[in-house]
Amino acid sequence: MKIFKLTYGLMAAGALMLASCNLNEYPEFDDANAFVAIQQSSASISENGGVVEIPVMLTSLSGISGSVDFTITPAETAGSVEGTHFRLANESKTLSFSKDAPTQYIKIEPIDNDTFGGDTKFTIELTNPQGVTLGANKKCQVTVEDDEHPLAFILGTMNALGYDYFSGGAEEEWTATFEKDPTDLSKVWIYNICSGGCSLPVYGIVNEDKTEIRIPVGQTTANTSSYDVILEGFRDNGETDIPNGDYIVGRITESGTIVISDWFGAHAYNAGTTTSAGWYAIEMGGIFKKQ
């Protein structure tokens, strides 16, 4: 057996830095500095979701009045088309602000369909300010996510159940997330594949029949200055190392549950070396079930 001498429980230290300020000093701001800006630079909406509201705010002390227009521009590649991929729920493409209404919303309603065409994108841009000034953040890129992705049945938040090697195989639960790759329809990115030391996503490749996922070992699972943290695994009930270039294998059921019989975990090495510093976690197999 290759893992009979394992250490567990890497510890990290942090420091809390406090800063002081003079509570009698107040920021200077008047309506000469007032501006209108979109509150986010990007947004994603699901094709089968409801109306999404993107806030646009006037920053003003006294509450001046004014208005801005906005334009919709499809991306050059995979562009969203108004009326095909989404509708505007606004009555017009003008937003009016006042003291009583300093925040307005651009309302996007995605259009669902039954075919897979991939995600599409468009950009909202504020234009034509009247009585107000545009702030620095005047654009927002919106992605309309296609819900007919061929791997949609395994995408999203998963309830994970593993069997902790360091507790004699006791059950432990955590939450994992499976996200699609932006270009490869057979690839998914897995966040928190194991219960510890897996803050970075690792990828897996799903076979054509969508019955198996292969997750290459050797992927980095966490960023630290002291350790190189690597995804590693074992077969034959922990007796056989899975070599570099090989995979942790998960079986996918028709309902989208993923069952991994191989053992897997996050192995830490002293940074830049092949000297083991221990393990954050070893799961003696695991089950990932969609929430």
Side-chain angles (χ1 to χ4, degrees):
M1 188 173 181
K2 299 294 183 70
I3 57 172
F4 64 96
K5 290 185 178 180
L6 296 175
T7 58
Y8 176 59
L10 294 169
M11 300 180 64
L16 179 65
M17 300 182 66
L18 300 176
S20 61
C21 62
N22 186 345
L23 298 181
N24 293 319
E25 295 180 359
Y26 295 93
E28 295 183 2
F29 188 90
D30 59 41
D31 282 335
N33 301 315
F35 62 90
V36 170
I38 302 178
Q39 296 303 292
Q40 57 198 87
S41 59
S42 64
S44 294
I45 59 179
S46 176
E47 182 182 83
N48 62 348
V51 174
V52 173
E53 297 184 340
I54 298 175
V56 181
M57 179 177 287
L58 168 65
T59 303
S60 168
L61 284 179
S62 61
I64 61 176
S65 297
S67 68
V68 297
D69 297 337
F70 63 90
T71 60
I72 301 290
T73 305
E76 291 185 4
T77 302
S80 300
V81 178
E82 187 176 351
T84 299
H85 300 104
F86 70 94
R87 302 183 188 92
L88 279 176
N90 298 72
E91 293 183 0
S92 72
K93 292 182 180 177
T94 297
L95 304 174
S96 298
F97 303 89
S98 65
K99 180 178 181 179
D100 296 326
T103 302
Q104 297 295 333
Y105 299 89
I106 300 171
K107 302 175 183 179
I108 309 296
E109 180 185 7
I111 298 174
D112 198 3
N113 56 43
D114 297 324
T115 59
F116 177 70
D119 296 349
T120 60
K121 297 182 179 182
F122 65 93
T123 298
I124 300 170
E125 182 174 4
L126 302 182
T127 63
N128 191 30
Q130 300 293 316
V132 293
T133 300
L134 291 182
N137 192 26
K138 59 183 180 180
K139 292 184 179 181
C140 177
Q141 184 180 74
V142 181
T143 301
V144 181
E145 298 181 338
D146 196 324
D147 66 326
E148 280 84 28
H149 190 283
L151 299 180
F153 74 117
I154 64 169
L155 299 178
T157 303
M158 295 274 201
N159 292 320
L161 172 66
Y163 305 91
D164 181 16
Y165 173 84
F166 298 104
S167 297
E171 291 185 356
E172 58 180 347
E173 297 180 358
W174 70 96
T175 299
T177 304
F178 285 59
E179 293 187 358
K180 63 190 175 188
D181 185 84
T183 58
D184 189 339
L185 297 180
S186 67
K187 180 186 287 188
V188 295
W189 291 91
I190 308 166
Y191 291 77
N192 294 327
I193 189 173
C194 53
S195 60
C198 291
S199 57
L200 294 180
V202 297
Y203 75 87
I205 302 296
V206 177
N207 66 348
E208 187 175 350
D209 294 334
K210 302 178 181 61
T211 58
E212 182 180 274
I213 181 170
R214 293 184 172 186
I215 307 163
V217 298
Q219 299 185 67
T220 299
T221 63
N223 274 332
T224 79
S225 59
S226 301
Y227 307 109
D228 299 327
V229 189
I230 306 298
L231 177 67
E232 294 184 356
F234 310 89
R235 294 203 173 102
D236 309 318
N237 291 322
E239 294 289 344
T240 306
D241 290 346
I242 298 177
N244 285 335
D246 208 338
Y247 311 88
I248 296 163
V249 179
R251 178 174 57 85
I252 306 174
T253 70
E254 290 184 0
S255 64
T257 296
I258 297 173
V259 181
I260 298 177
S261 298
D262 296 327
W263 295 16
F264 59 96
H267 192 178
Y269 295 87
N270 292 326
T273 75
T274 58
T275 303
S276 174
W279 292 76
Y280 280 93
I282 293 179
E283 311 299 341
M284 300 164 62
I287 300 171
F288 298 82
K289 188 174 183 179
K290 199 167 183 178
Q291 288 187 355

